[in-house]
Amino acid sequence: MYQAGYLKHFTEEVFLAIGCPEQEAKLAAQVLVSADLRGVDSHGIARLAGYVRLYDHGRLNPKPEIKVVYETPSTAVVDGDRGLGLVVAPKAMEVAMEKAEKVGSGWVSVRNSNHFGIAGYHAMLALEKEMIGWTMTNAAPLVTPTFSLEKLLGTNPVAVAVPALEEPPFVADFASTAVAYGKFEILQRKGLPAPLGWAQDAEGNATTDSNAVKSGGGLLPLGSDREHGSHKGYGLGAIVDIFSGVLSGANFGPWVPPFATAGFMNAQEGVGLGTGHFLGAMRIDGFRPAEEFKKDMDKWIRAFRGAKAVEGQKVLIPGDPEREAEADRFTNGIALLEPVVLSLDELAKRFNIPFENNL
């Protein structure tokens, strides 16, 4: 068990060790550990070693010059200069929010970035400005579209954050696949099979092998198969890829460079620059008075949360599980699996940074 503050400090030290400026190391650590706090273990500190491997392979620039390369009053393209997506995405969201302040909404497509952690973190930045936040990103091709044997898309998540008045905000954050690949990594660390409907093998058959993607198979789109609506998950993932990659000039489809996961590291020659993201911010008062909207959001949330549910269950609002996890883990600490601890031990030895169980 580890305190969030301790993990954040350790993460900062690792990012500093590979050459990140202090403020960017702090921001990257904040984004990464926020995933652990919110219960999204697949995208938290378990990924830290992966970012270091990106640096080792020359694919990560620790001191990027992040800049706007094209813009209109409400839109922009940001070039991340191969920086940490954990840093590039929040800075791009700042651009989107600045534009929204001026003209009502701001939309930013990002190229030349890397894995940006949990999408929800970046969408939630807009809540501080009484705005609705949107974020999405393309990712390494681990996903087989409906009827395909080839991996052509990433898990390509979408997040939307909407403020309320008295109720906690609505925060939807989900992959366009049945599950994110990080869930497979957790099963692999535990030596467990995957539920049916998460992946297919190299021949296109449904499988419970949690290592299927490594052995020629692929992740399945949201819906799992055609009869259960996988074409909709495929379509959603395709939209994310086009907005994040084709629109910005980043790589897209099968050319998106891999993160340090699934046993893949070397990127093939691409069609664009790095990984792509898409971020947006909308001023509520660009549509109606913000106070009125937030009161109605309270009513919306209470209506759904108060719905009659099946025995032993309750209807949740997107963001509820993460908020409950955060309250618990901030107080009681974050549990890390042994393989994750071992990877952090290796980083600690490499960079001569103290690391030990602190709870």
Side-chain angles (χ1 to χ4, degrees):
M1 299 294 292
Y2 296 84
Q3 292 176 337
Y6 182 84
L7 293 179
K8 184 174 181 292
H9 176 73
F10 177 80
T11 304
E12 287 174 17
E13 292 297 311
V14 171
F15 284 134
L16 286 170
I18 64 173
C20 294
E22 182 177 358
Q23 289 306 309
E24 295 192 356
K26 288 181 179 294
L27 174 57
Q30 172 67 27
V31 177
L32 206 59
V33 175
S34 72
D36 291 300
L37 277 171
R38 292 176 65 78
V40 191
D41 299 330
S42 58
H43 284 59
I45 200 168
R47 297 266 182 173
L48 182 57
Y51 293 104
V52 175
R53 286 197 291 275
L54 287 179
Y55 168 76
D56 289 340
H57 282 72
R59 289 181 41 211
L60 174 64
N61 178 5
K63 296 179 180 178
E65 182 185 352
I66 302 167
K67 59 186 178 182
V68 174
V69 294
Y70 183 88
E71 66 179 325
T72 72
S74 63
T75 64
V77 172
V78 166
D79 189 295
D81 194 24
R82 297 185 299 111
L84 281 164
L86 304 167
V87 172
V88 175
K91 293 194 175 185
M93 181 53 101
E94 287 179 11
V95 174
M97 292 188 294
E98 287 171 4
K99 290 182 175 295
E101 289 276 12
K102 295 175 182 176
V103 298
S105 68
W107 304 95
V108 177
S109 199
V110 179
R111 70 188 190 198
N112 212 10
S113 186
N114 281 291
H115 190 277
F116 78 177
I118 56 170
Y121 179 92
H122 314 297
M124 291 172 67
L125 293 174
L127 298 176
E128 302 167 10
K129 303 281 189 179
E130 282 204 339
M131 297 180 185
I132 294 171
W134 292 69
T135 53
M136 55 186 79
T137 183
N138 65 13
L142 301 176
V143 182
T144 51
T146 304
F147 302 137
S148 176
L149 291 176
E150 294 186 50
K151 295 187 282 286
L152 298 173
L153 288 171
T155 52
N156 294 8
V158 176
V160 178
V162 184
L165 187 63
E166 296 176 355
E167 295 292 337
F170 171 105
V171 183
D173 181 358
F174 56 94
S176 56
T177 47
V179 292
Y181 183 75
K183 299 290 175 60
F184 282 87
E185 293 178 308
I186 292 172
L187 293 176
Q188 291 161 13
R189 294 181 192 118
K190 293 180 177 180
L192 297 174
L196 203 61
W198 283 18
Q200 68 181 33
D201 63 20
E203 287 73 45
N205 302 308
T207 180
T208 60
D209 180 6
S210 58
N211 290 288
V213 179
K214 292 181 177 180
S215 53
L219 299 181
L220 291 171
L222 188 63
S224 299
D225 56 38
R226 178 65 176 79
E227 288 68 29
H228 294 90
S230 66
H231 57 293
K232 298 176 183 178
Y234 165 31
L236 181 59
I239 290 168
V240 172
D241 195 39
I242 293 167
F243 279 37
S244 301
V246 182
L247 192 59
S248 69
N251 288 297
F252 49 82
W255 294 281
V256 179
F259 184 61
T261 190
F264 312 120
M265 270 304 302
N266 296 320
Q268 61 178 318
E269 184 176 349
V271 293
L273 296 172
T275 297
H277 319 311
F278 186 80
L279 306 97
M282 299 190 301
R283 255 177 42 196
I284 293 168
D285 64 3
F287 298 87
R288 60 185 296 205
E291 192 84 355
E292 290 182 9
F293 170 84
K294 290 192 292 184
K295 285 181 180 178
D296 280 351
M297 275 303 300
D298 280 353
K299 293 176 184 177
W300 190 97
I301 290 169
R302 289 164 184 162
F304 279 74
R305 188 174 283 132
K308 186 177 180 180
V310 298
E311 187 175 353
Q313 300 293 332
K314 61 180 179 180
V315 177
L316 299 174
I317 303 302
D320 280 351
E322 294 87 350
R323 183 172 46 82
E324 292 170 6
E326 187 169 16
D328 173 69
R329 292 183 174 198
F330 186 81
T331 301
N332 300 316
I334 297 167
L336 300 180
L337 294 173
E338 183 178 3
V340 176
V341 174
L342 291 175
S343 75
L344 299 179
D345 279 334
E346 290 177 5
L347 293 175
K349 292 173 183 175
R350 171 177 171 178
F351 297 117
N352 195 28
I353 302 169
F355 182 73
E356 58 186 22
N357 190 323
N358 77 319
L359 279 179

